[in-house]
Amino acid sequence: MKFNKVLLFMIIAAFTVIIAACGSESDDNKTDAEAGDSSEKNSASAKEPEAEELEGSVVIDGSGTVYPLMARLAEEYMINEQENVSVEVSRAGTSAGFKKFLVENGTDFNDASRQIKDEEAAEADKLGIEVKELKVALDGLTFVINKDNDWANEMTPEQLVSIFLADGNVKKWSDINPEWPDEKINAMGPNENHGTYEFFYEKILDKQDMASDVNLQQEYSTLVNLVSEDKNGIAFFGFGYYVNNQDKLQAVSVDFGNGPVEPALDTISEDGAYADFTRPVFTYLNVNHAKEKPQVKDYAIYVMNNINKFAGETGFAPIPEAEVKETISFLEGLK
């Protein structure tokens, strides 16, 4: 009887060892098979640090040419980046914008379709405003005509300039080409508030007097409508306004000496086929504000990180990535 109890004890002990071994092996197998999953779950549950939530406003004014690009970026920023930051974008024109930018408590950015003038830079120094030029895109100065104009869709720079010059001796289409209609040309363009006007006057007209009967307008939309309704109308403005109104207008292809070149994203560049009518466009940053207001600095960095992504869809050619990275490096270093 005693022997049977000992034998029973030994059998129970043996089973206990076997069960323990199986359990241990099962745990080991589970560790090997599920360690990766567990690690992945832990990794997945560990969130990356979220971007700092900002609030406040960013105020931008200036160029009507740059407006569509900056308005697009502002929309994306407020929806996808910082929903508590209000980015207000207006379009008074480059020169009018600088007047709002170069004052105490002025705007945070001024969009510009030309570079800052010496007297504007001097005013900034006088006010103690540190200004940083941010080159954001390339624009092609575009001449547009009515859809029904089937004679003037190709011209040389000299012919185009002659239409707008005070002493160009060109009043009718037939003054340019005897085979063209003997009808008065109705020339139009943006007014003096716009950097496009100044670029045209300084770079294209070489500061020669503009004809007094050129119809100058504040709103680009007005120019679009005027030309679209006038068979003898011709106007100049940035490529983006043409792109967005191709159903109403046609662009003049320009023969710079090697055949007519149509303004397009693949011809607008500083060393390309449309180079003579290509210009960089900018936004100017009040660095003082960027140092004082985190949302202003953050928006500036966002703009440069995304500028080439949205340039094409708003009618601009992109700038070199090396220039983008250099600007971002400057902005990130602001303290």
Side-chain angles (χ1 to χ4, degrees):
M1 185 72 174
K2 184 177 182 181
F3 173 79
N4 289 339
K5 288 183 179 180
V6 172
L7 179 60
L8 180 59
F9 175 79
M10 291 178 65
I11 291 172
I12 293 172
F15 272 113
T16 303
V17 171
I18 291 171
I19 292 170
C22 290
S24 177
E25 183 178 351
S26 175
D27 288 344
D28 289 342
N29 289 340
K30 181 179 178 181
T31 300
D32 292 339
E34 298 178 3
D37 290 343
S38 178
S39 175
E40 289 176 6
K41 289 177 182 177
N42 290 337
S43 176
S45 63
K47 296 180 180 179
E48 293 185 5
E50 293 183 359
E52 180 186 0
E53 290 190 9
L54 302 173
E55 59 183 20
S57 65
V58 176
V59 183
I60 305 166
D61 211 323
S63 170
T65 298
V66 183
Y67 172 82
L69 176 56
M70 194 61 81
R72 182 77 175 87
L73 285 160
E75 178 185 22
E76 287 292 321
Y77 180 80
M78 289 187 288
I79 293 173
N80 299 319
E81 295 294 320
Q82 296 289 348
E83 62 181 17
N84 293 322
V85 174
S86 171
V87 183
E88 306 162 17
V89 187
S90 300
R91 48 183 174 181
T94 298
S95 297
F98 269 123
K99 291 178 181 178
K100 298 180 180 182
F101 180 73
L102 297 173
V103 293
E104 187 177 353
N105 298 320
T107 53
D108 301 311
F109 294 84
N110 189 60
D111 297 334
S113 53
R114 62 160 172 81
Q115 288 187 294
I116 190 171
K117 294 181 177 180
D118 290 343
E119 55 266 35
E120 291 165 338
E123 183 65 17
D125 289 341
K126 177 182 175 182
L127 295 169
I129 299 173
E130 183 181 352
V131 176
K132 175 63 177 178
E133 177 184 277
L134 309 182
K135 180 178 175 181
V136 293
L138 299 176
D139 178 45
L141 185 71
T142 303
F143 292 84
V144 296
I145 53 177
N146 185 274
K147 280 282 191 179
D148 294 330
N149 184 329
D150 58 3
W151 60 88
N153 41 30
E154 294 180 5
M155 283 192 266
T156 66
E158 293 75 20
Q159 289 172 329
L160 287 164
V161 166
S162 69
I163 293 173
F164 292 87
L165 278 179
D167 58 356
N169 298 317
V170 171
K171 297 298 181 183
K172 300 179 179 180
W173 294 109
S174 56
D175 293 333
I176 299 175
N177 186 328
E179 297 180 1
W180 292 359
D182 189 34
E183 297 181 22
K184 184 179 182 301
I185 302 171
N186 296 319
M188 314 170 200
N191 65 20
E192 296 89 340
N193 284 330
H194 294 276
T196 299
Y197 169 91
E198 294 177 272
F199 173 80
F200 182 73
Y201 171 68
E202 295 175 6
K203 303 296 183 181
I204 308 302
L205 297 187
D206 196 26
K207 296 185 178 181
Q208 300 177 79
D209 290 339
M210 187 179 291
S212 59
D213 61 350
V214 175
N215 184 356
L216 301 178
Q217 294 287 330
Q218 170 66 22
E219 297 296 331
Y220 288 109
S221 58
T222 303
L223 292 171
V224 169
N225 291 334
L226 287 171
V227 176
S228 70
E229 297 168 357
D230 186 351
K231 190 174 180 178
N232 293 302
I234 183 170
F236 64 90
F237 43 60
F239 178 69
Y241 281 93
Y242 160 65
V243 167
N244 292 321
N245 293 281
Q246 293 182 75
D247 58 327
K248 300 178 181 179
L249 308 168
Q250 59 176 318
V252 176
S253 294
V254 186
D255 188 346
F256 297 100
N258 295 306
V261 179
E262 182 180 355
L265 293 181
D266 59 353
T267 61
I268 296 171
S269 70
E270 293 176 296
D271 56 0
Y274 206 73
D276 288 356
F277 282 0
T278 293
R279 57 177 175 165
V281 293
F282 313 90
T283 191
Y284 284 83
L285 168 67
N286 183 321
V287 176
N288 307 47
H289 289 185
K291 291 178 178 179
E292 297 164 2
K293 299 186 280 187
Q295 73 273 19
V296 173
K297 176 182 174 180
D298 189 68
Y299 183 71
I301 294 172
Y302 175 82
V303 165
M304 295 313 301
N305 271 321
N306 293 275
I307 199 70
N308 283 345
K309 177 180 177 182
F310 294 105
E313 70 176 62
T314 51
F316 294 93
I319 60 175
E321 283 296 330
E323 294 183 25
V324 172
K325 290 178 181 178
E326 182 178 349
T327 301
I328 291 173
S329 178
F330 169 84
L331 294 171
E332 290 178 339
L334 293 178
K335 296 179 181 179

